[in-house]
Amino acid sequence: MSRDVTKGARFFFYFLLFLMGGAFWIAAKTGHFHMSEAVYGAAVKYPAVWWALAMLVPASAYLAALFINGRRWWTAPTRIVIAAWMMTYFASFVVAALPSAGVDIVVIASGTLAVAVALLSAFDIADAARKGSRHD
């Protein structure tokens, strides 16, 4: 697979996360979204706006690091850290929702997104390994 294809796939995926986070934030901020304990389990301990920002901000930073890609040494490690954050983010939804009654959609969606982040992070790891410790 060419580098351009993988970069495009990563851009598309994180742009979707950016859009989802933005829509989630707007809905939570305007009061049009409520996280019920029956669906989200223990995740309701924190406000929905925080959860939205926890998706929106890293997705924005990832897109910025992907855009800068190669012109600065720190872009690949930054993308790896953000991918780890996003895997933790989605895994926390899976763990929080498992004991609740409406577990199906949250666990399936969050689990799928966590696996997608993990798979796409392999390209960031390969990029970091290729660049090694080379600094600008």
Side-chain angles (χ1 to χ4, degrees):
M1 211 180 288
S2 77
R3 194 165 182 285
D4 290 334
V5 170
T6 63
K7 186 175 180 179
R10 289 178 287 162
F11 172 81
F12 180 72
F13 180 76
Y14 277 91
F15 185 69
L16 286 177
L17 289 182
F18 171 77
L19 292 177
M20 287 170 42
F24 186 13
W25 182 79
I26 290 168
K29 198 71 172 159
T30 59
H32 291 93
F33 181 80
H34 174 71
M35 291 177 66
S36 70
E37 193 167 355
V39 176
Y40 292 96
V44 299
K45 291 180 185 176
Y46 303 102
V49 174
W50 292 6
W51 286 109
L53 288 174
M55 183 190 309
L56 179 62
V57 172
S60 303
Y62 187 97
L63 290 171
L66 192 62
F67 178 74
I68 296 169
N69 188 32
R71 294 190 293 262
R72 300 286 183 260
W73 69 269
W74 52 266
T75 58
T78 300
R79 292 191 317 266
I80 293 167
V81 168
I82 292 169
W85 171 272
M86 294 308 292
M87 282 186 277
T88 304
Y89 175 85
F90 291 121
S92 65
F93 271 117
V94 170
V95 170
L98 274 175
S100 65
V103 69
D104 296 345
I105 190 69
V106 173
V107 170
I108 292 169
S110 295
T112 302
L113 290 170
V115 169
V117 168
L119 292 173
L120 290 174
S121 69
F123 297 112
D124 295 319
I125 293 168
D127 194 26
R130 185 175 49 255
K131 290 183 172 112
S133 61
R134 206 174 49 182
H135 299 303
D136 291 345

